[in-house]
Amino acid sequence: MEKQFVWLNNDLIPVSQARVPVNDRGFLYGDGLFETLRADDARVHFLSEHLERLAASARAFRLPFPENIPWQERLAQLLAANGLSRGSARVKILLTRGVAPGLGLPKECRPTLVIYAQPYTPPSPEEYAAGWPVAVFPEGRSTFVGCHKSLNYLFYLAARQFALDQGAKEALILEADGLVSEGAATSLIYLHQGRYYLPASASALSGVTVTVLGRGLAARGLTLETRRTTVAQLKASGGLWLANSLMGLMPVAAVNGAPLPVSAATAFLQEVLADMS
Ligand SMILES: Cc1ncc(COP(=O)(O)O)c(C=O)c1O
């Protein structure tokens, strides 16, 4: 196997040499943030949007954001070092508070920054055409941490596993009041009476994909509005899609085993998104 390289702080090194102390707060407490981006033929999509979200979350948690990082250059070097200048790649940026004593959110810290890239194989065209079944995760989640891409992903991993155990491919996450929030690793978009909506949710991540899609729809005179949404409304919708930076837009084919028509609008939405990148 070819050697994999990662950025650890300011060094591009083989992954086998990349060491993070066991008392790094990312490991101890999940005290950190991450971003997942997609690159195609070394073009990293929506880099500024991802960095803005990361920086905003870093501010929210008093985590010093690394200044003066030549992001474009670093990502290009990383992709080249990993033989990913052609094809699709999953790029992860991880930022933790590093090693620092005390509970709370100590500002006196030396953050750890890791960037890595791996080959990414998107779902097949047949999978996009057929859509994914989803299952509703019964445990509600209402927390301000949900608005950030923090390293506390255990809830989402458990939700995804719940869905997989039901033979579904993604879990729908509910707020504590039972309203729909998002997917375990995806935002949700749905069609209702010819209009596109996102579930209104106080603790959902603000997805880069749906944000960019909203801009693309606006440029075509269409809107993507937020609306308090129940599972019953999703089941009765004219189309439901999962959206994230890696796979783009995936139609939903069933909710808890109840089939949902894969909307003919899928190709249109995918085109709007592609035009934005
Ligand atoms: C919980 C959650 N919601 C939404 C998304 C979609 O976000 P983005 O479009 O920025 O990839 C993700 C992405 O992984 C996620 O983990």
Side-chain angles (χ1 to χ4, degrees):
M1 206 183 121
E2 277 182 45
K3 238 192 206 169
Q4 194 191 340
F5 286 84
V6 296
W7 282 103
L8 174 57
N9 299 318
N10 292 318
D11 301 311
L12 182 61
I13 54 178
V15 71
S16 57
Q17 290 170 26
R19 297 272 181 271
V20 176
V22 291
N23 54 346
D24 188 288
R25 296 172 68 97
F27 177 64
L28 289 182
Y29 306 121
D31 185 357
L33 303 163
F34 75 105
E35 287 293 327
T36 304
L37 303 85
R38 176 162 167 176
D40 290 295
D41 294 338
R43 208 157 64 83
V44 180
H45 302 286
F46 311 127
L47 176 61
S48 56
E49 285 83 355
H50 284 282
L51 291 175
E52 269 167 36
R53 183 169 65 188
L54 186 61
S57 291
R59 275 195 300 279
F61 290 100
R62 306 183 189 186
L63 183 48
F65 189 73
E67 300 295 335
N68 306 320
I69 304 273
W71 292 99
Q72 297 271 15
E73 210 175 287
R74 284 208 179 176
L75 292 173
Q77 286 173 6
L78 177 73
L79 291 167
N82 287 292
L84 293 169
S85 299
R86 290 262 163 272
S88 299
R90 171 206 313 265
V91 175
K92 272 207 172 207
I93 302 174
L94 290 111
L95 177 67
T96 80
R97 199 177 305 274
V99 178
L103 291 177
L105 303 170
K107 254 190 177 153
E108 291 307 312
C109 60
R110 254 193 321 139
T112 302
L113 177 65
V114 172
I115 317 172
Y116 71 81
Q118 293 170 320
Y120 173 66
T121 308
S124 66
E126 292 74 26
E127 226 175 324
Y128 282 108
W132 276 8
V134 301
V136 178
F137 190 50
E139 301 288 337
R141 179 237 45 204
S142 287
T143 163
F144 70 97
V145 180
C147 304
H148 305 276
K149 221 164 153 61
S150 86
L151 292 176
N152 297 252
Y153 251 57
L154 201 50
F155 180 89
Y156 301 102
L157 299 181
R160 174 63 73 88
Q161 189 58 53
F162 171 86
L164 296 173
D165 290 347
Q166 320 280 309
K169 295 219 165 164
E170 175 60 309
L172 296 193
I173 307 297
L174 307 177
E175 292 280 346
D177 61 7
L179 289 176
V180 173
S181 177
E182 59 186 333
T186 49
S187 305
L188 304 174
I189 304 151
Y190 65 98
L191 189 58
H192 173 69
Q193 296 181 344
R195 297 166 80 111
Y196 294 103
Y197 293 95
L198 299 174
S201 167
S203 32
L205 185 73
S206 172
V208 166
T209 313
V210 289
T211 303
V212 168
L213 182 70
R215 275 189 231 142
L217 288 172
R220 288 166 169 78
L222 296 168
T223 54
L224 183 54
E225 294 162 62
T226 54
R227 177 171 182 251
R228 288 163 62 82
T229 304
T230 61
V231 173
Q233 281 170 319
L234 290 187
K235 284 182 170 170
S237 69
L240 171 63
W241 294 268
L242 307 169
N244 73 17
S245 299
L246 282 178
M247 67 177 181
L249 286 154
M250 173 62 74
V252 171
V255 178
N256 282 352
L260 202 64
V262 170
S263 165
T266 301
F268 165 70
L269 291 175
Q270 286 171 337
E271 191 187 302
V272 172
L273 187 62
D275 281 355
M276 297 300 289
S277 66

